[in-house]
Amino acid sequence: MVKVSIIGATGYAGVELVRLLALHSEVELMFLTSQTYSGQKIQDVYPHLRGFVDKELREQNIEEIAEGSDLVFLALPHGHAVAVAEKVLKMGKKVIDLGADLRFRDTKTYEAWYKVSHENPVLSRDAVYGLPEINRNRIKEAQAVGNPGCYPTSAVLALYPLIRQNIVDVKTIIIDSKSGVSGAGRGLVLGSLYPECAESVKAYNVGKHRHTPEIEQILSELAGTDVTVSFTPHLIPMTRGILSTVYAGLTCAAKDIDIEGLYRTCYRDEYFVRVQPKGVWPQTKWVTGTNFCDIGVDIDARTNRVVVTAVIDNLVKGAAGQAVQNMNLMFGIPEKTGLDLVPLYP
Amino acid sequence: MVKVSIIGATGYAGVELVRLLALHSEVELMFLTSQTYSGQKIQDVYPHLRGFVDKELREQNIEEIAEGSDLVFLALPHGHAVAVAEKVLKMGKKVIDLGADLRFRDTKTYEAWYKVSHENPVLSRDAVYGLPEINRNRIKEAQAVGNPGCYPTSAVLALYPLIRQNIVDVKTIIIDSKSGVSGAGRGLVLGSLYPECAESVKAYNVGKHRHTPEIEQILSELAGTDVTVSFTPHLIPMTRGILSTVYAGLTCAAKDIDIEGLYRTCYRDEYFVRVQPKGVWPQTKWVTGTNFCDIGVDIDARTNRVVVTAVIDNLVKGAAGQAVQNMNLMFGIPEKTGLDLVPLYP
Amino acid sequence: MVKVSIIGATGYAGVELVRLLALHSEVELMFLTSQTYSGQKIQDVYPHLRGFVDKELREQNIEEIAEGSDLVFLALPHGHAVAVAEKVLKMGKKVIDLGADLRFRDTKTYEAWYKVSHENPVLSRDAVYGLPEINRNRIKEAQAVGNPGCYPTSAVLALYPLIRQNIVDVKTIIIDSKSGVSGAGRGLVLGSLYPECAESVKAYNVGKHRHTPEIEQILSELAGTDVTVSFTPHLIPMTRGILSTVYAGLTCAAKDIDIEGLYRTCYRDEYFVRVQPKGVWPQTKWVTGTNFCDIGVDIDARTNRVVVTAVIDNLVKGAAGQAVQNMNLMFGIPEKTGLDLVPLYP
Amino acid sequence: MVKVSIIGATGYAGVELVRLLALHSEVELMFLTSQTYSGQKIQDVYPHLRGFVDKELREQNIEEIAEGSDLVFLALPHGHAVAVAEKVLKMGKKVIDLGADLRFRDTKTYEAWYKVSHENPVLSRDAVYGLPEINRNRIKEAQAVGNPGCYPTSAVLALYPLIRQNIVDVKTIIIDSKSGVSGAGRGLVLGSLYPECAESVKAYNVGKHRHTPEIEQILSELAGTDVTVSFTPHLIPMTRGILSTVYAGLTCAAKDIDIEGLYRTCYRDEYFVRVQPKGVWPQTKWVTGTNFCDIGVDIDARTNRVVVTAVIDNLVKGAAGQAVQNMNLMFGIPEKTGLDLVPLYP
């Protein structure tokens, strides 16, 4: 049994980790921390967990926690993970950070977009970007993993087969994403109130969202050239789910491409990516509660563009589920352990 | 492995059965039927199942299906289950009907409320009403089980401890229930369209809902006297979930009753009933996707009434999950097998 | 033109007043105040108002505001209206309080339920309870009006014809109400976040909601005897709307009562109450954005109870619209001026 | 008073026309037709209208209807409007078609996308495309108006200032639209059921939506060259509203453009278009129930693209409201008569 702890267990990503780990056959949950609720039992904060986890939430005594754990998950606001990760690693334990602090190879980019200075560029550089479909082998060897953001996960999985085959002009990439409200976290902000976001949709942080450079970093690595994208996130009235619609101009003739076959080939060994038959466009509800990424793709011959839509549950494949997938890889556990869940539909 | 089949697998209750059985460790799924979609693969009708169940939907060739099954679930419109159940039972196989056709001891009541004649009153009389928290031992021995309705499950579990202890005046019982739209099924009816029910709530079938006599039957059995209730269902804008608010006048002084203790005692051995601490009122989301019934209860000393709220996922404890629970009992499988799921929150 | 101002214009009730008054033909909007946003323009806080109201939000300089107004609306948290109302009245201007501070004839009840001391019991006693369908003539003469709560408006309009005709046992009244989330206001509370309340329903403040004594006060006055009710509010996933389901035991035989006729007679001159044909149960969406209260009623002969459902838009007939209706009465303006709106459906 | 009738009054666009016309000061409602509900009163089909319109729904006796009307609105499925429009026009009365049958100058395009033959290409060619912000003068003189589709209205208003100033490369235009479910009409289709679309989002008709050629027709006219666009509609869980996000590559340097000023100048005389301050991105709820189109715009200097979002209420500016605006123009009524409504927020 792998002993794991969660720093920041009462945010939405943290409590989703608890849900997934509670029934994970190879894991023992050790410590759960919470700044807001320390001293309370987690089932009193989240009564849906009653009967599954009977643990008191604790303060962040990192040394004690790392001492008793093989792996520590960090689900903290950005800027708070580096110091914690350093302590965990120093004690020879592994760490997966669900925030942004370990995602960037070059922390100057991080600093420019997140408007804070990064305390340990070397740590960030050496951490592995935890997208298993692309970095599986490196994740297996990693001590520290930067778990991808929700938008980048959907956007990169949508684009990976195209970039890999070098059939699109990377200067033409547009990513239009739609997210449920849980992506904003459990913080008390006006825009997350039910009456403010029900029956409404809006774009936000247009041209400025912090997931932009994360998407560009990984696409640039894959393409072997600098990639700049237009990325527009939208808030839509649902709790879970992200759908990213991706547009890219083809560099070859549409008739020469078997686009569905290209995606099937690329993802043929990926359990968590389900490529849909041509003409089938996935909806977020097809993956609710699970680690799947469902992808629909087609070519618009009129414009010679490829259009891809990728859907994930932002709290699972976009956060906690992917973190569990990474953990499984890091500890030699079969990759879908604890993630073998049927989506909840309707 | 128990071999099971589902007659009517593409309605919401049917497909929820598929979800639960797909990962059930003691079950092998044999046949799935569908009138509307026979000949298609279920994962083409319900793409969320892709990767889990790869079966062609078939027509209702009952003999062949019963031949190859140990148990047949029926998820059919009322009036259609009796003939099918007869055939299954004649071949020595077990049956669980998720509809109303096997729920009534006295089919005259059924006929009066459902406006159809019942073809086999003896079969209905001898079937066991599948509410495990009340009828567990009889279910274990049953060949035919009438799986309870969604509203009755929530209402009866809310009232059971009160009736059992004989502390309320059964003439004063009022049940005010709120249901999500999936309770109306997948049929194409105007009232289930998103624009008709989003951002709205209404009562319906006031004084006339067919679950009324079902509730009264079981309460009357428990009370040992005829019980008549006021039952008002409401449609609210959500997909899954029922909350029943129950009111009953006490027959003794409020101060003499430890109401929380009474509920805890009654349900102390029931895994699927979670009695909340006093003053905590459950919300439906605490049980989403699971077989739990969460109950809040208190006494209003000003009016000397007890108020109870019980929440379930109407498709799980209110339908498919309870059917699986019944199956487990009928085949000597540990009761929570396949139902050990953490609720999806938020 | 009546000159009116709003103290607390940026809460949901306040801004709904702005919406209704912006196009009111007999009103001139003078001052809008806001503690949170003073100094900003209201159309920057609420961009939907752009083009209609171009006013800077101000601090509460009550003397100046009252000086320039004929009527001041107060949309403040309870406990804050009395001191403001006193100043306005002292300057000879009229006041309508949308909070609870002027609703109670006996402020001891207020103090017991609201847990604060009332600063001016005489003012509260002499204020008129602003439910026009019951107190129209007194409202016309009033200097100070306590605008009813949202739940009481729906519950009392549902019960009024029954109490007036003295055909129900007032000891048996149960009020089960379902409200949208805007009823909780625009405050940043966890329970109002979209992910916490979407796809879910819960009861809250069971037996303890502060609208209980308000309902009891008015029903007791109408009945001429002390009335105690069970009142249970529920939060459901929608923004606007309240549906109250009311149960009461008849004191006479069901067959002797023309229940629809009784309601029609009672409300025959009331523009804003729309009694539905027997068997038609209103949904909240039928009144969205308007001052209507739609009522469905029937007798359940099996239990000899009458069941009534009343729906309102909680921000209109349950708050701002009713306040405008009261204003119209106080200034001799035709009652439906500014409220002649067609509901928004779907 | 202008005498108007509606053919197809019980679809969502038709009944929204009724809502807007019921209180229109210059209009008298004459005939309402419905195939499904003829013989019933409209307030029994749509009870929210009770008290406003007391008319029996009739069959389509076009001659009689045209005889008694100055203008006839057609809200019919495509392919059904031409024959009706011909009869109305022959009797010297005016017609506004809310469907697609009069929108295309070249009906070959219509036939290719709608898969039906057009019965009267001359009628379609001579009809005026009813987007007042672009075609106001021609609408004033028109006998027949083809009212724009909901998606084209939002997309074209978003792009008009860019095309007019010739600052974008028309080969790079991508339109990513998000629509509420009422856009699918009131027909009984599986995808419109609440449980199928709540808490979910999907793209549909990718590369194939019939509004594509309509958008291209008007943009091509404005640009003076053939314009081909990528247009992807998405269904999101809300009833009303469309948000279109539009991307286009600049043909000049970003620093040389005052993008907000350009939009303000273009729409300075347009009451129904509200250009937001730079950095403010509108949400659909800011226009609910009204004829406004709110627009946010900015340049992404990193990619040298302009990003625009335009929001409308699909049933108002996207259908019935725009039809009323066109009617006002055709009859010399002040343009905002009957449309002077404050959005319903929250």
Side-chain angles (χ1 to χ4, degrees):
Chain A
M1 298 292 272
V2 179
K3 294 177 178 172
V4 308
S5 295
I6 303 170
I7 309 298
T10 55
Y12 285 146
V15 77
E16 186 72 353
L17 267 173
V18 176
R19 176 176 79 93
L20 295 171
L21 296 171
L23 298 179
H24 192 293
S25 59
E26 307 296 320
V27 157
E28 186 181 359
L29 261 183
M30 304 304 291
F31 300 97
L32 307 178
T33 82
S34 169
Q35 284 199 290
T36 313
Y37 300 106
S38 68
Q40 296 186 46
K41 296 215 159 193
I42 192 165
Q43 70 267 41
D44 290 330
V45 179
Y46 280 108
H48 72 287
L49 294 174
R50 202 173 299 281
F52 293 94
V53 186
D54 180 25
K55 283 204 175 289
E56 191 180 304
L57 295 159
R58 308 168 58 112
E59 300 198 4
Q60 290 185 22
N61 187 337
I62 304 300
E63 280 81 3
E64 183 192 351
I65 291 169
E67 173 82 32
S69 311
D70 301 312
L71 169 71
V72 179
F73 291 100
L74 311 183
L76 295 167
H78 72 266
H80 292 72
V82 170
V84 179
E86 286 170 343
K87 290 184 190 169
V88 174
L89 292 166
K90 182 180 268 180
M91 299 185 70
K93 308 306 175 72
K94 301 186 181 190
V95 69
I96 296 175
D97 177 31
L98 282 78
D101 292 4
L102 303 185
R103 290 181 194 155
F104 289 86
R105 299 296 73 77
D106 180 351
T107 50
K108 282 192 199 117
T109 306
Y110 171 93
E111 291 178 332
W113 287 78
Y114 284 82
K115 316 286 184 198
V116 293
S117 62
H118 197 286
E119 302 156 34
N120 193 334
V122 174
L123 173 58
S124 189
R125 188 196 63 200
D126 293 345
V128 176
Y129 188 73
L131 195 52
E133 287 74 13
I134 290 176
N135 282 338
R136 181 169 289 108
N137 287 333
R138 297 185 53 224
I139 294 164
K140 288 181 181 172
E141 308 301 322
Q143 294 300 307
V145 162
N147 209 57
C150 49
Y151 287 122
T153 296
S154 61
V156 172
L157 291 176
L159 282 160
Y160 177 44
L162 301 175
I163 306 282
R164 188 168 169 257
Q165 290 297 313
N166 194 24
I167 60 167
V168 294
D169 176 357
V170 295
K171 288 184 172 45
T172 64
I173 296 173
I174 287 173
I175 301 162
D176 189 286
S177 296
K178 300 86 180 162
S179 173
V181 186
S182 66
R186 213 190 192 199
L188 299 178
V189 295
L190 188 61
S192 296
L193 293 185
Y194 187 95
E196 300 291 324
C197 49
E199 296 288 310
S200 202
V201 51
K202 65 174 177 187
Y204 68 99
N205 288 356
V206 181
K208 294 174 184 157
H209 195 282
R210 289 159 171 172
H211 285 176
T212 311
E214 186 181 334
I215 295 168
E216 291 176 349
Q217 169 184 265
I218 186 86
L219 293 184
S220 298
E221 285 174 17
L222 291 170
T225 182
D226 276 1
V227 176
T228 306
V229 302
S230 286
F231 166 57
T232 310
H234 299 77
L235 190 71
I236 65 174
M238 61 188 199
T239 294
R240 287 170 180 251
I242 284 180
L243 181 146
S244 288
T245 311
V246 178
Y247 303 86
L250 287 169
T251 50
C252 51
K255 65 177 171 48
D256 297 335
I257 301 174
D258 167 17
I259 194 73
E260 184 188 337
L262 187 149
Y263 273 71
R264 290 203 177 280
T265 303
C266 180
Y267 288 128
R268 112 201 101 194
D269 295 327
E270 295 300 338
Y271 176 75
F272 292 116
V273 179
R274 303 191 297 190
V275 177
Q276 302 298 310
K278 200 167 169 176
V280 174
W281 299 94
Q283 57 182 107
T284 53
K285 212 167 192 168
W286 291 356
V287 300
T288 299
T290 71
N291 204 47
F292 291 108
C293 175
D294 281 7
I295 294 181
V297 62
D298 207 352
I299 289 171
D300 183 1
R302 300 171 64 250
T303 59
N304 212 41
R305 287 192 188 106
V306 61
V307 183
V308 197
T309 68
V311 301
I312 59 170
D313 183 323
N314 60 307
L315 295 179
V316 190
K317 186 62 177 168
Q322 187 143 267
V324 171
Q325 190 181 358
N326 282 319
M327 176 195 72
N328 289 344
L329 289 169
M330 293 163 83
F331 286 89
I333 302 166
E335 193 166 337
K336 65 183 206 179
T337 309
L339 298 170
D340 194 18
L341 302 165
V342 186
L344 198 68
Y345 186 96
Chain B
M1 299 291 272
V2 179
K3 294 177 178 170
V4 308
S5 296
I6 304 170
I7 309 298
T10 55
Y12 286 145
V15 77
E16 186 73 354
L17 267 173
V18 176
R19 176 177 78 92
L20 295 170
L21 295 172
L23 298 178
H24 192 292
S25 60
E26 308 296 320
V27 157
E28 185 180 1
L29 261 181
M30 305 304 291
F31 300 97
L32 306 178
T33 81
S34 168
Q35 284 200 291
T36 312
Y37 300 105
S38 68
Q40 296 186 46
K41 295 214 160 193
I42 193 165
Q43 69 267 42
D44 290 329
V45 180
Y46 280 108
H48 72 286
L49 294 175
R50 203 173 299 280
F52 292 95
V53 186
D54 179 25
K55 281 204 178 290
E56 192 181 302
L57 294 160
R58 306 169 58 111
E59 300 200 4
Q60 291 185 23
N61 187 337
I62 304 301
E63 280 80 3
E64 183 193 349
I65 291 170
E67 174 80 33
S69 310
D70 300 312
L71 168 71
V72 179
F73 291 101
L74 311 184
L76 294 167
H78 72 265
H80 292 72
V82 169
V84 179
E86 286 171 345
K87 289 183 191 170
V88 174
L89 292 166
K90 181 180 270 181
M91 299 185 68
K93 308 307 174 71
K94 301 187 181 189
V95 70
I96 296 176
D97 177 30
L98 281 79
D101 293 3
L102 302 186
R103 289 180 193 154
F104 288 87
R105 300 295 73 76
D106 181 349
T107 49
K108 282 193 198 117
T109 306
Y110 171 93
E111 292 178 331
W113 287 78
Y114 284 80
K115 314 288 186 199
V116 291
S117 63
H118 197 287
E119 301 155 35
N120 193 335
V122 174
L123 173 58
S124 188
R125 188 196 63 200
D126 293 346
V128 177
Y129 188 74
L131 195 50
E133 287 74 12
I134 290 176
N135 281 341
R136 180 169 290 109
N137 287 334
R138 297 185 53 223
I139 295 164
K140 288 180 182 174
E141 309 300 323
Q143 294 301 307
V145 161
N147 210 57
C150 49
Y151 288 122
T153 296
S154 62
V156 172
L157 290 176
L159 281 159
Y160 177 43
L162 302 174
I163 305 283
R164 189 170 168 254
Q165 289 296 315
N166 196 22
I167 61 167
V168 294
D169 177 356
V170 295
K171 288 184 173 46
T172 64
I173 296 172
I174 287 173
I175 300 161
D176 188 287
S177 296
K178 298 88 179 162
S179 174
V181 186
S182 67
R186 213 190 192 200
L188 299 179
V189 295
L190 188 62
S192 296
L193 293 185
Y194 187 95
E196 301 291 323
C197 49
E199 295 289 310
S200 202
V201 51
K202 66 175 177 187
Y204 68 100
N205 287 355
V206 181
K208 293 174 186 159
H209 195 282
R210 290 159 172 172
H211 285 176
T212 311
E214 186 182 332
I215 295 168
E216 291 176 349
Q217 169 184 268
I218 186 86
L219 294 184
S220 297
E221 285 175 18
L222 291 170
T225 180
D226 276 1
V227 176
T228 306
V229 302
S230 286
F231 166 58
T232 310
H234 298 76
L235 190 71
I236 66 174
M238 61 188 199
T239 295
R240 287 171 180 251
I242 283 179
L243 181 146
S244 288
T245 310
V246 178
Y247 304 85
L250 287 168
T251 50
C252 51
K255 66 175 171 48
D256 296 336
I257 301 174
D258 167 17
I259 194 72
E260 185 188 338
L262 187 148
Y263 272 70
R264 291 203 177 281
T265 302
C266 181
Y267 288 126
R268 109 200 105 195
D269 296 327
E270 295 301 336
Y271 176 74
F272 291 115
V273 179
R274 303 191 297 189
V275 177
Q276 302 298 309
K278 199 166 170 176
V280 174
W281 298 94
Q283 56 183 105
T284 52
K285 214 168 189 165
W286 292 355
V287 300
T288 299
T290 70
N291 203 46
F292 291 108
C293 175
D294 281 7
I295 294 181
V297 60
D298 206 353
I299 287 170
D300 182 1
R302 298 170 65 251
T303 58
N304 212 42
R305 287 192 188 106
V306 59
V307 183
V308 196
T309 68
V311 300
I312 59 171
D313 183 323
N314 60 307
L315 295 179
V316 190
K317 185 63 176 169
Q322 186 141 269
V324 171
Q325 190 181 359
N326 283 319
M327 176 196 72
N328 288 344
L329 289 169
M330 292 163 83
F331 286 88
I333 301 167
E335 193 166 338
K336 67 184 203 179
T337 308
L339 298 170
D340 194 18
L341 302 164
V342 185
L344 198 68
Y345 187 97
Chain C
M1 299 291 272
V2 178
K3 293 176 178 171
V4 309
S5 296
I6 303 170
I7 308 298
T10 55
Y12 285 146
V15 76
E16 185 72 353
L17 267 173
V18 176
R19 176 177 78 94
L20 295 171
L21 295 172
L23 298 178
H24 192 293
S25 60
E26 307 296 320
V27 157
E28 186 181 0
L29 262 182
M30 304 305 291
F31 300 98
L32 306 178
T33 81
S34 169
Q35 283 199 293
T36 312
Y37 300 106
S38 68
Q40 296 186 46
K41 294 215 160 191
I42 192 164
Q43 69 267 42
D44 290 329
V45 179
Y46 281 108
H48 71 285
L49 294 174
R50 203 173 299 280
F52 292 95
V53 185
D54 179 24
K55 283 204 176 290
E56 191 181 303
L57 293 160
R58 307 168 59 111
E59 299 197 5
Q60 291 185 24
N61 186 335
I62 304 301
E63 280 81 3
E64 183 192 350
I65 291 169
E67 174 81 33
S69 309
D70 300 312
L71 168 71
V72 179
F73 291 101
L74 311 183
L76 295 167
H78 73 264
H80 292 71
V82 169
V84 178
E86 286 171 344
K87 290 183 190 170
V88 174
L89 293 166
K90 182 180 269 182
M91 297 185 71
K93 307 308 175 69
K94 301 187 181 188
V95 69
I96 296 176
D97 177 31
L98 280 79
D101 293 2
L102 303 186
R103 289 181 193 154
F104 288 86
R105 300 296 73 76
D106 181 350
T107 50
K108 282 192 199 116
T109 306
Y110 171 94
E111 291 177 332
W113 287 77
Y114 285 81
K115 315 288 184 197
V116 292
S117 63
H118 196 286
E119 303 155 33
N120 193 333
V122 174
L123 172 58
S124 187
R125 187 196 64 200
D126 293 347
V128 177
Y129 188 74
L131 195 51
E133 286 75 11
I134 289 177
N135 281 340
R136 180 169 289 109
N137 288 333
R138 296 184 54 222
I139 294 164
K140 288 180 180 173
E141 309 300 323
Q143 293 301 307
V145 162
N147 210 57
C150 49
Y151 287 122
T153 296
S154 62
V156 172
L157 291 176
L159 282 159
Y160 176 44
L162 301 175
I163 306 281
R164 188 169 169 256
Q165 289 296 315
N166 195 23
I167 60 167
V168 294
D169 176 357
V170 294
K171 288 183 173 46
T172 63
I173 295 172
I174 287 173
I175 301 162
D176 189 285
S177 296
K178 298 89 180 163
S179 174
V181 186
S182 67
R186 214 189 190 201
L188 298 179
V189 294
L190 188 62
S192 296
L193 293 185
Y194 187 94
E196 301 290 325
C197 49
E199 294 290 310
S200 202
V201 52
K202 66 175 177 186
Y204 67 99
N205 288 355
V206 181
K208 293 175 185 156
H209 195 282
R210 289 158 171 173
H211 284 176
T212 311
E214 186 182 331
I215 295 167
E216 291 177 348
Q217 169 184 266
I218 186 87
L219 294 185
S220 297
E221 285 175 18
L222 291 170
T225 181
D226 276 1
V227 176
T228 305
V229 302
S230 287
F231 166 57
T232 309
H234 299 76
L235 190 70
I236 66 174
M238 61 186 199
T239 295
R240 288 171 179 249
I242 284 178
L243 181 146
S244 289
T245 310
V246 178
Y247 304 85
L250 286 169
T251 50
C252 52
K255 67 176 170 48
D256 296 337
I257 300 174
D258 167 17
I259 194 72
E260 185 188 337
L262 187 149
Y263 272 71
R264 291 203 176 281
T265 302
C266 181
Y267 288 127
R268 109 199 104 196
D269 295 328
E270 295 300 336
Y271 176 73
F272 291 116
V273 179
R274 302 191 296 190
V275 177
Q276 302 298 310
K278 199 165 169 176
V280 175
W281 299 93
Q283 57 183 105
T284 53
K285 214 167 191 168
W286 291 355
V287 300
T288 299
T290 70
N291 203 47
F292 291 108
C293 175
D294 281 6
I295 293 180
V297 61
D298 207 351
I299 288 171
D300 183 0
R302 298 170 65 252
T303 58
N304 213 40
R305 287 191 189 106
V306 59
V307 183
V308 197
T309 68
V311 300
I312 59 171
D313 183 323
N314 60 307
L315 295 179
V316 190
K317 185 62 176 171
Q322 187 142 269
V324 171
Q325 190 181 0
N326 282 319
M327 176 195 73
N328 288 343
L329 290 169
M330 292 162 83
F331 286 88
I333 301 167
E335 193 166 338
K336 67 183 204 177
T337 308
L339 299 170
D340 194 18
L341 303 164
V342 185
L344 198 67
Y345 187 97
Chain D
M1 299 292 272
V2 180
K3 293 177 179 171
V4 309
S5 295
I6 304 170
I7 309 298
T10 55
Y12 285 147
V15 76
E16 186 72 353
L17 267 174
V18 176
R19 177 177 79 92
L20 295 170
L21 295 172
L23 298 178
H24 191 294
S25 60
E26 308 296 320
V27 156
E28 185 180 1
L29 261 182
M30 303 306 290
F31 300 97
L32 307 178
T33 81
S34 168
Q35 283 199 290
T36 313
Y37 301 105
S38 69
Q40 296 186 46
K41 295 214 160 194
I42 192 165
Q43 69 267 40
D44 290 328
V45 179
Y46 281 108
H48 72 286
L49 294 174
R50 204 173 297 281
F52 292 95
V53 185
D54 180 26
K55 282 203 177 289
E56 192 181 303
L57 294 159
R58 307 169 59 110
E59 301 198 4
Q60 290 186 25
N61 187 337
I62 305 300
E63 282 80 4
E64 183 192 350
I65 290 169
E67 173 82 33
S69 310
D70 300 312
L71 169 71
V72 179
F73 291 101
L74 311 184
L76 295 167
H78 72 266
H80 292 72
V82 169
V84 180
E86 286 171 344
K87 290 184 190 169
V88 175
L89 293 166
K90 181 180 269 182
M91 299 184 71
K93 309 306 176 71
K94 301 186 181 189
V95 69
I96 296 175
D97 177 29
L98 282 78
D101 293 2
L102 303 185
R103 288 180 194 156
F104 288 86
R105 299 296 74 74
D106 180 351
T107 49
K108 282 192 198 118
T109 306
Y110 171 94
E111 291 178 334
W113 287 78
Y114 284 82
K115 316 287 185 199
V116 293
S117 63
H118 196 286
E119 302 156 34
N120 193 335
V122 174
L123 173 57
S124 188
R125 187 195 65 200
D126 294 346
V128 176
Y129 188 73
L131 195 51
E133 287 74 12
I134 290 176
N135 282 339
R136 181 170 289 110
N137 287 332
R138 296 184 55 221
I139 295 164
K140 287 180 183 174
E141 308 301 322
Q143 294 300 307
V145 162
N147 209 57
C150 49
Y151 287 121
T153 296
S154 61
V156 172
L157 291 176
L159 282 159
Y160 177 44
L162 301 174
I163 305 282
R164 187 168 170 257
Q165 290 296 313
N166 195 24
I167 60 168
V168 293
D169 176 357
V170 295
K171 288 184 173 42
T172 64
I173 296 172
I174 287 173
I175 300 162
D176 189 287
S177 296
K178 298 88 180 163
S179 173
V181 186
S182 66
R186 212 191 193 198
L188 299 179
V189 295
L190 189 61
S192 295
L193 292 185
Y194 187 94
E196 301 291 323
C197 50
E199 296 289 309
S200 202
V201 51
K202 66 174 177 187
Y204 68 99
N205 287 356
V206 181
K208 295 176 184 155
H209 196 282
R210 290 160 171 171
H211 285 176
T212 311
E214 186 182 332
I215 295 168
E216 292 176 346
Q217 169 184 267
I218 186 87
L219 294 184
S220 297
E221 284 175 19
L222 291 170
T225 182
D226 275 2
V227 177
T228 305
V229 302
S230 285
F231 166 58
T232 311
H234 299 76
L235 191 71
I236 65 174
M238 61 187 200
T239 296
R240 287 171 179 249
I242 283 178
L243 181 145
S244 288
T245 310
V246 178
Y247 304 86
L250 287 169
T251 50
C252 52
K255 66 175 172 47
D256 297 336
I257 300 174
D258 167 17
I259 194 72
E260 184 188 338
L262 187 149
Y263 273 72
R264 290 203 178 281
T265 303
C266 181
Y267 288 127
R268 112 200 103 196
D269 295 327
E270 294 301 336
Y271 177 74
F272 291 116
V273 179
R274 304 191 297 189
V275 177
Q276 302 298 311
K278 201 168 168 174
V280 174
W281 298 95
Q283 57 183 108
T284 52
K285 213 168 191 167
W286 292 356
V287 300
T288 299
T290 71
N291 203 47
F292 292 109
C293 175
D294 281 7
I295 294 180
V297 62
D298 207 352
I299 287 171
D300 183 1
R302 299 171 65 252
T303 58
N304 213 42
R305 287 195 187 105
V306 60
V307 183
V308 197
T309 67
V311 301
I312 60 171
D313 183 323
N314 59 308
L315 295 179
V316 190
K317 185 63 175 169
Q322 186 140 270
V324 172
Q325 190 181 358
N326 282 321
M327 176 196 73
N328 288 343
L329 290 168
M330 292 163 83
F331 286 89
I333 302 167
E335 195 167 335
K336 66 183 206 178
T337 308
L339 299 170
D340 194 18
L341 302 164
V342 185
L344 199 66
Y345 187 98

